[in-house]
Amino acid sequence: MVEARHIETLKSLLGEKGLLTAPGDMAAYETGARYDKGRAAFVARPASTQEVSATVSYCVKNGIALIPQSGNTGLVSGSTPDTSGGQGVLSLDRLTAPFALDRVNRTVKAGAGLRLSDLNGKLEESGLFFPIDLGADPRLGGMIATNTGGSRFLRYGDVRRNTLGLTIVLADEAGTVLDLSSGLRKNNTGVDWKQLFIGTSGAFGIVTECVLNLEPAPKQSATALLVPASNEQVATLLVAMEDALGSYLSAFEGMSGNAVRAALDHMPSLRNPFQGGIVPDFVILAEISRSTPPREGEQPLDAVLEEVLAAIWEREDAPLADAFVGPPHEIWALRHALSEGVKHSGRLIAFDLSFRRGDIMPFLAHMKAEMPDHFEDVTICDFGHIGDGGVHFNLVVAKDDARLTDPDFEMDLRDWVFTVAVEQFGGSFSAEHAIGRKNQAFYDKYTPDDLRKLAAGLKTITSPGPLGAMTF
């Protein structure tokens, strides 16, 4: 437990709005997006980099552990406290300033507590956007700490690729502030220090401000749902689309029939676009886009997409069995409903995996064949970013399944899935959710000793105080 004198000091540093201690006020910060729930000693809500620094400095000097929390949308127990009641949550939700658009440099300097939707709302008049497309609405600091990817990674890359600068507070006794916010795209003067803090779960330092690369917002788009001739030909279809469309191709998302049916069942307002309402075993959402407005005489993107699909259909190897070109808002609504649909179909045990692109469908076929023998009555509801190798491998168990009362069941299931993914298919056990308590054991298992020692050394140098939910 954190002593009352520490609570009083923190309150004097942050003010009444800046420190929460009442159980009802802290509840939302103690509960994660996916079943995890802890107990916080307090919730600190600093409103500036200077307040973050003062809070962190005091906590490090007094041995108080802090869990940085951004939007709290993560799925691996990386942003919530444990159940001890001895950890404080440091929330970024008041760090919404500054907001400084540099239209010429095509960058924005923003507070780490700004939500993705708010950022893009502010940018709309400029014709620019931050090109990370997600079903959730996280805050920028958490996106940086976890190196978020999203549905349009294929065209725009991840957060790491689109981050040009950071302001960081280190968990040392001084609460050291690092200004790495130059916003330069080219700067080969030594170590690119900002990269040290991207994707490391907030354990090396707390992001308070960021400088982000912006892209011209799409002015035209066309989408289609594609049914591959077989699951084995998904990779062939992807390469054919890339060859024909080049940089026009902005998304190539895979959706299993189980996941699509779960979404349609959960949200009756969604339109079922498939012939006879029969959902195929596997579906691809393909999107092409342009950042320029339509020009006179220019072929519309719907026509471009239909022409390319027709040519692929006529190939001798015919990797495409069927296609439904439709309104982008309807097709993306189906994709964005998958997570909630799967979540409401039973108890969800979720995995965020990545593979070489050619290994995704063989992995899914292997798991579909082997699952009944290893864990019967577990339904696979996968979907993900086939174009970049990412798969949300979701497993659903009936809510009344007696195995859910066994604390070893989920760990045994995770261990088997990760063993297959990493050891048999050379994949990663964390594609874009980084490391939280749920994945700590697998970080320890699969990270080579020399790399773990190096990471632990960097943690000691940057933030020796107790910071974050993971252990390097």
Side-chain angles (χ1 to χ4, degrees):
M1 298 294 292
V2 175
E3 296 176 23
R5 63 186 178 92
H6 296 315
I7 299 295
E8 290 305 312
T9 302
L10 290 170
K11 191 173 292 184
S12 70
L13 292 173
L14 297 171
E16 291 293 333
K17 291 184 178 179
L19 194 76
L20 307 178
T21 56
D25 294 337
M26 296 193 296
Y29 299 87
E30 297 172 320
T31 305
R34 190 62 53 74
Y35 309 126
D36 52 312
K37 182 174 176 59
R39 188 162 64 93
F42 58 84
V43 176
R45 302 174 64 235
S48 68
T49 296
Q50 292 69 33
E51 287 189 358
V52 174
S53 174
T55 302
V56 170
S57 173
Y58 183 83
C59 288
V60 171
K61 288 175 181 176
N62 291 279
I64 300 170
L66 288 174
I67 304 296
Q69 184 179 105
S70 185
N72 200 20
T73 60
L75 305 179
V76 293
S77 300
S79 61
T80 50
D82 62 20
T83 57
S84 69
Q87 296 179 327
V89 171
L90 192 148
S91 172
L92 307 185
D93 59 6
R94 296 176 70 206
L95 292 171
T96 55
F99 177 84
L101 172 64
D102 186 334
R103 185 64 181 81
V104 173
N105 200 40
R106 202 161 29 84
T107 58
V108 65
K109 186 172 186 178
L114 194 64
R115 288 199 180 273
L116 177 61
S117 61
D118 293 333
L119 172 67
N120 282 327
K122 289 174 178 286
L123 293 170
E124 191 169 354
E125 286 188 8
S126 71
L128 301 174
F129 80 130
F130 186 49
I132 308 297
D133 179 71
L134 303 169
D137 190 18
R139 300 183 190 275
L140 300 180
M143 295 175 69
I144 291 164
T146 58
N147 187 32
T148 307
S151 297
R152 293 183 172 91
F153 184 108
L154 178 65
R155 180 163 178 175
Y156 298 109
D158 55 10
V159 164
R160 186 183 299 279
R161 175 174 157 186
N162 289 283
T163 300
L164 301 182
L166 296 174
T167 301
I168 300 288
V169 174
L170 303 181
D172 57 15
E173 291 195 358
T176 300
V177 178
L178 295 183
D179 184 354
L180 309 172
S181 60
S182 69
L184 298 176
R185 287 181 170 81
K186 302 175 75 174
N187 185 18
N188 288 318
T189 56
V191 177
D192 189 357
W193 291 108
K194 69 179 180 293
Q195 297 296 343
L196 187 64
F197 303 96
I198 301 173
T200 46
S201 303
F204 286 7
I206 299 172
V207 178
T208 61
E209 298 178 10
C210 51
V211 180
L212 304 174
N213 171 68
L214 304 177
E215 296 289 342
K219 301 294 193 302
Q220 307 174 62
S221 65
T223 54
L225 294 174
L226 313 179
V227 181
S230 68
N231 289 355
E232 292 76 18
Q233 288 179 287
V234 168
T236 303
L237 180 57
L238 170 58
V239 172
M241 295 284 286
E242 288 182 324
D243 287 347
L245 292 161
S247 62
Y248 274 17
L249 186 63
S250 50
F252 194 87
E253 298 282 289
M255 304 182 291
S256 68
N258 285 341
V260 172
R261 282 186 287 271
L264 293 171
D265 289 344
H266 178 62
M267 295 186 64
S269 60
L270 289 173
R271 187 177 75 86
N272 186 330
F274 303 105
Q275 190 171 9
I278 300 173
V279 178
D281 180 58
F282 198 81
V283 185
I284 300 294
L285 185 161
E287 178 192 74
I288 63 175
S289 60
R290 291 186 185 125
S291 59
T292 55
R295 298 185 175 97
E296 186 176 351
E298 183 179 61
Q299 188 178 25
L301 281 186
D302 281 350
V304 172
L305 185 55
E306 289 173 358
E307 184 178 287
V308 167
L309 294 177
I312 292 174
W313 216 322
E314 292 170 1
R315 284 173 40 155
E316 188 173 339
D317 57 358
L320 184 62
D322 209 347
F324 308 86
V325 176
H329 69 277
E330 286 190 6
I331 290 181
W332 277 108
L334 177 60
R335 168 64 181 84
H336 288 147
L338 297 181
S339 183
E340 283 298 305
V342 170
K343 178 180 171 182
H344 282 83
S345 62
R347 175 75 176 196
L348 177 60
I349 301 174
F351 301 81
D352 177 46
L353 309 174
S354 73
F355 303 90
R356 292 175 293 274
R357 298 195 309 181
D359 290 335
I360 294 174
M361 300 312 295
F363 167 79
L364 294 176
H366 176 88
M367 299 306 278
K368 186 175 181 179
E370 295 292 323
M371 184 66 73
D373 292 336
H374 287 81
F375 296 92
E376 61 180 354
D377 297 324
V378 173
T379 303
I380 300 173
C381 294
D382 59 283
F383 58 89
H385 321 303
I386 302 297
D388 63 51
V391 176
H392 297 293
F393 188 70
N394 300 298
L395 303 180
V396 178
V397 183
K399 292 180 179 179
D400 59 355
D401 193 309
R403 292 173 295 181
L404 294 175
T405 62
D406 179 359
D408 294 329
F409 171 67
E410 181 173 340
M411 183 54 73
D412 290 344
L413 183 54
R414 287 187 178 278
D415 188 58
W416 177 64
V417 171
F418 286 143
T419 297
V420 175
V422 177
E423 298 181 15
Q424 292 185 229
F425 286 87
S428 168
F429 64 89
S430 179
E432 58 184 7
H433 289 173
I435 310 298
R437 285 187 299 276
K438 283 186 178 179
N439 284 343
Q440 180 70 55
F442 304 102
Y443 172 83
D444 296 342
K445 179 178 180 178
Y446 289 118
T447 305
D449 288 344
D450 55 349
L451 296 184
R452 288 180 59 199
K453 289 177 182 177
L454 182 59
L458 290 171
K459 160 69 176 162
T460 300
I461 292 170
T462 56
S463 289
L467 181 68
M470 80 161 293
T471 302
F472 279 98

